[in-house]
């Protein structure tokens, strides 16, 4: 597994997972459930992580660069806040 995206926002992580799944990849959420139990834990655990199998890493990075990059967003880092 390789991490392709970090965010403190659970919803943003879900959107990235949906984007990657819709592109035929198999993303996984790491540390998402702990952050949902208490949003203040999110920063302490190093944010919510979206990971993909190693062989899908380059494709996932390209998808994130294309989608998030055209919006002027960092392709690999989302919101630093659990609240938006």
């Amino acid at each position: 597994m390789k991490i392709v995206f970090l965010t403190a926002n659970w919803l943003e992580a879900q959107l990235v997972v949906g984007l990657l799944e819709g592109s035929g990849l198999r993303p996984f959420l790491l540390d998402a459930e702990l952050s949902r139990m208490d949003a203040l834990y999110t920063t302490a655990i190093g944010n919510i992580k979206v990971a993909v199998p190693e062989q899908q890493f380059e494709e996932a990075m390209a998808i994130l660069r294309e989608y998030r990059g055209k919006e002027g967003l960092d392709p690999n880092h989302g919101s630093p806040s659990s609240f938006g």
Side-chain angles (χ1 to χ4, degrees), residues 2-82:
K2 290 188 90 168
I3 295 170
V4 295
F5 190 75
L6 297 169
T7 183
N9 187 294
W10 184 83
L11 184 57
E12 186 175 35
Q14 290 292 334
L15 291 171
V16 168
V17 165
L19 172 67
L20 296 175
E21 284 178 340
S23 298
L25 303 183
R26 294 181 324 154
F28 296 90
L29 277 180
L30 306 173
D31 298 326
E33 296 309 315
L34 184 59
S35 69
R36 289 186 67 202
M37 288 176 10
D38 188 335
L40 298 176
Y41 288 146
T42 304
T43 304
I45 61 172
N47 290 321
I48 300 167
K49 298 149 193 85
V50 178
V52 295
E54 249 181 85
Q55 64 271 22
Q56 295 179 348
F57 179 75
E58 291 301 325
E59 185 178 358
M61 295 297 284
I63 292 165
L64 291 172
R65 276 192 298 272
E66 179 184 339
Y67 179 77
R68 291 184 55 86
K70 73 180 176 186
E71 299 296 322
L73 302 170
D74 184 326
N76 306 108
H77 294 90
S79 174
S81 168
S82 302

